[in-house]
Amino acid sequence: MPAIEVEPQFETLLSGYEKDRSNLIPILQDVQEHEGYLSEDAIVEVADHLELSPNDVFGVASFYTLFKFVPPGRCNIKVCQGTACHVRGSGLIMEELSKKLGIRSGETTEDREFSLESVACYGSCALAPVVIVDEKVHSRMTSKSACELVEESE
Ligand code: FES
């Protein structure tokens, strides 16, 4: 297997953590924050740093829903599934967006234009149901207005 070239930024990130397996989750969170997801290369590098096997690292990471293993799309769409949004129809919004984009929650379109995810309460319950597009909160959404947001982002 050819050696993986580690980006200097990534090396700096890892060097900030002691080689202690209790640092695994914080490192993975840090990597995801910087890279947007956990790539295979990143998993191998983290495993190497902590002297674990990549399978162990992947096993732990895949246990937590917060970690993503596919790169995010150019446009990231989050649908709040907290209680207030749920009772006001966010399930239907997710269903319609899913149909429109041809992907399920947690996936990215093949052309990497859009990614879709369910999130827990976003802290904007008074505006429910909310859809978050690239960190901008859109309030009182319907499946129609959510689909229009996608069209505007194309
Ligand atoms: S439940 Fe959706 S913002 Fe709180």
Side-chain angles (χ1 to χ4, degrees):
M1 190 196 242
I4 294 164
E5 233 175 78
V6 184
E7 297 205 10
Q9 232 183 344
F10 196 67
E11 215 168 38
T12 310
L13 182 152
L14 287 176
S15 68
Y17 291 94
E18 278 182 39
K19 293 178 184 242
D20 186 323
R21 69 182 303 157
S22 66
N23 285 328
L24 178 56
I25 300 294
I27 292 176
L28 293 177
Q29 284 175 314
D30 211 353
V31 170
Q32 181 159 290
E33 200 172 296
H34 282 82
E35 313 284 314
Y37 76 114
L38 301 178
S39 67
E40 218 176 300
D41 288 356
I43 287 175
V44 169
E45 282 308 313
V46 171
D48 192 46
H49 181 75
L50 295 177
E51 293 167 0
L52 297 168
S53 79
N55 276 348
D56 286 342
V57 173
F58 180 74
V60 170
S62 60
F63 182 76
Y64 296 92
T65 53
L66 83 122
F67 294 119
K68 298 176 202 139
F69 304 99
V70 289
R74 176 190 58 82
C75 178
N76 184 24
I77 302 172
K78 297 177 185 144
V79 181
C80 178
Q81 298 294 343
T83 308
C85 289
H86 185 74
V87 297
R88 293 192 180 119
S90 65
L92 187 60
I93 293 173
M94 176 55 96
E95 223 177 279
E96 288 300 314
L97 287 176
S98 207
K99 231 186 282 172
K100 185 168 183 63
L101 295 168
I103 53 173
R104 287 177 298 179
S105 173
E107 295 180 342
T108 299
T109 54
E110 246 172 56
D111 60 5
R112 296 223 181 135
E113 279 295 295
F114 293 96
S115 46
L116 186 61
E117 60 181 301
S118 298
V119 290
C121 178
Y122 209 71
S124 307
C125 305
L127 307 173
V130 300
V131 171
I132 303 98
V133 179
D134 293 334
E135 305 311 318
K136 183 169 186 245
V137 178
H138 297 268
S139 60
R140 300 197 177 84
M141 290 275 100
T142 60
S143 19
K144 187 172 181 269
S145 56
C147 286
E148 283 166 3
L149 274 181
V150 169
E151 284 154 22
E152 286 163 18
S153 307
E154 281 174 334

